[in-house]
């Protein structure tokens, strides 16, 4: 690569070009550099080696079954207290969840993505029921559901109490295909004690993902960045994910499908409402550094409701190969001016990707290419 402005990056460029793994100190040098274009070109080189000019998107539908949660993570503007009198506290009945999934299926969605707060009284049977019924009514739609935090909660509230492995095995039996990566935040004791002291930490998050992978359930990974953590803590988080992926790849069952870096969005009704959140350059740099550090992850996603449509589009040139999807309805993070209706049509997604200079390719939950005609779809070549 020519035209490297920051000479400190030259050894890192050489390592990446020769396929060597980057160290935590390489990551720190990347974060310390202001040569954002070299970092972007390097990440783009890696994504092009893996994916050429393809950028993936998916026709999916998100469902958040409740915003009632027993926890109070400092960054969370989504949760409402149990017994809250807030007019916007809600719990969807199983019928409503199934109905929303069925609407998505009829509309051609290939995946439903289901997550919610940690509700104090919903029984484990509720979660089993929604997965089983969606599996029956929407047989071809992949069900991606429940973060590691929810799985640990189900383990605690189930009667008789179940282990993490039992919870996952039962949900898989009901029809669970895949799991999102939420709840990871930042794997660091100081950050956890300050920001989400009662939430499951690193140990339990990895225990859930290890158990899921051992059952052959692929999962995603996330990192919530841009609040009180340092660059070193972000990199420590990435190195831990990379080590876990090495183990999962070695065991040869389930793996992390995708890394989803989540840019912190300060929410009005939270303790962290006044934090500034990351800048656009920090977002681009972090997405690129995820691509460079996570050499054993196939995909890096810019989840557009959080990264914004504009930044997600630019990020395709900074190591990102996945724009995520149609989403339709998303309640967890709302940027200024956004409501719960957060929808991009497949044609809009294709246009945004083309405009950025990449080739849009629809995928299913497992990154199989999809051929589509309106709401009808099939896996390419099948
Ligand atoms: S981030 Fe999740 S666990 Fe934490 S308060 Fe919000 S809904 Fe609850």
């Amino acid at each position: 690569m020519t035209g490297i402005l920051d000479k400190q990056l030259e050894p890192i460029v050489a390592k990446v070009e020769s396929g060597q793994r980057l160290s935590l100190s390489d990551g720190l040098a990347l974060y310390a550099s202001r040569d954002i274009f070299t970092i972007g070109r390097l990440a783009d080189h890696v994504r092009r080696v893996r994916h050429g000019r393809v950028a993936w998107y998916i026709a999916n539908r998100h469902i958040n079954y409740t915003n009632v949660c027993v926890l109070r993570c400092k960054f969370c503007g989504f949760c409402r207290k149990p017994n809250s009198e807030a007019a916007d506290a809600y719990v969807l009945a199983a019928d409503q969840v199934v109905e929303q999934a069925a609407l998505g299926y009829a509309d051609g969605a290939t995946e439903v993505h289901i997550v919610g707060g940690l509700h104090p009284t919903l029984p484990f049977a509720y979660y089993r029921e929604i997965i089983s019924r969606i599996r029956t009514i929407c047989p071809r739609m992949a069900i991606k559901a429940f973060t590691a935090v929810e799985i640990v909660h189900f383990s605690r509230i189930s009667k008789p109490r179940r282990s993490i492995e039992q919870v996952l095995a039962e949900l898989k039996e009901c029809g669970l295909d895949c799991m999102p990566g939420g709840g990871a935040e930042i794997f660091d004791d100081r950050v956890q004690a300050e920001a989400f002291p009662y939430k499951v930490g690193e140990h339990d998050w990895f225990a859930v993902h290890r158990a899921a992978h051992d059952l052959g359930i692929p999962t995603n990974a996330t990192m919530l960045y841009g609040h009180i953590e340092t660059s070193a803590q972000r990199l420590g988080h990435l190195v831990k994910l990379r080590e876990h992926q090495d183990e999962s790849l070695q065991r040869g069952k389930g793996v992390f499908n995708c890394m989803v870096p989540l840019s912190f969005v300060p929410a009005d009704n939270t303790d962290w409402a006044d934090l500034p959140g990351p800048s656009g350059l920090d977002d681009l740099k972090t997405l690129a550094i995820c691509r460079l550090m996570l050499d054993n992850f196939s995909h890096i996603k810019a989840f557009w409701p959080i990264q914004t449509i504009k930044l997600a589009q630019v990020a395709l040139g900074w190591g990102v190969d996945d724009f995520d999807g149609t989403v339709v309805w998303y309640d967890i993070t709302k940027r200024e001016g956004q409501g719960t209706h957060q929808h991009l049509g497949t044609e809009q997604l294709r246009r945004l990707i083309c405009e950025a200079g990449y080739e849009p390719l629809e995928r299913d939950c497992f990154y199989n290419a999809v051929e589509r005609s309106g709401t009808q779809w099939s896996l390419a070549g099948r």
Side-chain angles (χ1 to χ4, degrees), residues 69 71-73 75-76 78-79 117-118 149 199:
C69 185
L71 296 187
R72 281 289 153 286
C73 301
F75 53 82
C76 182
F78 165 68
C79 62
L118 310 183
V149 184
K199 196 173 196 172

Side-chain angles (χ1 to χ4, degrees), residues 5 21 26 38-39 105 116 132 140 151 155 193 227-228 244-245 255 257 269 329 332 361 367:
L5 298 178
R21 176 164 278 190
D26 292 328
T38 295
I39 297 169
Y105 191 55
S132 299
R140 295 175 66 226
I151 297 295
S155 156
H227 40 89
I228 60 166
H244 186 97
Q245 181 78 322
V255 296
N257 269 348
N269 57 344
W329 193 92
I332 294 177
L361 184 56
Y367 290 88

Side-chain angles (χ1 to χ4, degrees), residues 28 133 352:
L28 285 172
R133 288 177 61 192
L352 289 162

Side-chain angles (χ1 to χ4, degrees), residues 69 81 96 305 372:
C69 185
K81 288 181 185 165
Q96 293 173 294
R372 174 174 298 278

